Amino acid sequence: MTEQLSVQKCEACQVGAPQVSDEELPVLLAQIPDWIPEVRDGVMMLEREYKFKNYKLSWAFANKVSALAEEEFHHPAILLEWGKVKITWWTHAIKGLHRNDFICAAKTDKLL
Ligand SMILES: C[C@H](O)[C@H](O)[C@H]1CNC2=NC(N)=NC(=O)C2=N1
């Protein structure tokens, strides 16, 4: 069993890096069951919406995710609303999902 995604580090990802394979996809998705794979304009992404009691709590969580992104140098889309934060991870350089996206999704869950 490979170690938990949330303790792994993102690797530098360049254009041409491999997307997650069809065989790996279900194995990785099973490790982050609260995340939904979405395909937009042919690009597969991982998405999760978190609910909070008010805007300040949503804002604080969004800030933590931003700090994580800088630490990993891998950046999500963050939709910040009153009582909700939607996080979407994908790898722009390869227009799809890299192992990094799963690592970052798992790390995002640990920020709660
Ligand atoms: C220049 C380029 O944006 C950087 O190399 C990094 C920054 N953060 C990134 N974040 C994500 N999600 N995908 C990328 O391809 C990516 N590239």
Side-chain angles (χ1 to χ4, degrees), residues 46-86:
L46 297 173
E47 197 151 275
R48 184 177 178 183
E49 184 170 90
Y50 298 86
K51 299 282 179 55
F52 297 93
K53 285 195 298 232
N54 56 41
Y55 191 79
K56 275 183 82 170
L57 290 171
S58 307
W59 183 8
F61 180 70
N63 282 345
K64 283 186 181 177
V65 178
S66 295
L68 166 66
E70 274 301 285
E71 192 180 306
E72 297 292 337
F73 203 65
H74 195 65
H75 304 83
I78 301 175
L79 176 60
L80 171 56
E81 298 175 272
W82 192 100
K84 289 194 286 189
V85 178
K86 186 186 309 185

Side-chain angles (χ1 to χ4, degrees), residues 6-112:
S6 63
V7 298
Q8 295 179 36
K9 284 293 282 177
C10 288
E11 64 186 48
C13 176
Q14 299 93 10
V15 173
Q19 291 186 1
V20 164
S21 69
D22 293 345
E23 294 73 34
E24 291 168 315
L25 186 60
V27 175
L28 290 167
L29 282 173
Q31 297 176 52
I32 48 166
D34 295 317
W35 290 77
I36 313 290
E38 300 281 0
V39 178
R40 294 200 178 93
D41 300 326
V43 178
M44 189 175 282
M45 309 172 170
L46 297 173
E47 197 151 275
R48 184 177 178 183
E49 184 170 90
Y50 298 86
K51 299 282 179 55
F52 297 93
K53 285 195 298 232
N54 56 41
Y55 191 79
K56 275 183 82 170
L57 290 171
S58 307
W59 183 8
F61 180 70
N63 282 345
K64 283 186 181 177
V65 178
S66 295
L68 166 66
E70 274 301 285
E71 192 180 306
E72 297 292 337
F73 203 65
H74 195 65
H75 304 83
I78 301 175
L79 176 60
L80 171 56
E81 298 175 272
W82 192 100
K84 289 194 286 189
V85 178
K86 186 186 309 185
I87 305 291
T88 308
W89 288 103
W90 79 99
T91 301
H92 305 257
I94 63 173
K95 294 184 174 54
L97 288 178
H98 185 275
R99 190 176 183 76
N100 289 346
D101 297 302
F102 292 84
I103 292 168
C104 285
K107 286 177 181 268
T108 305
D109 287 342
K110 304 261 292 205
L111 296 174
L112 282 171

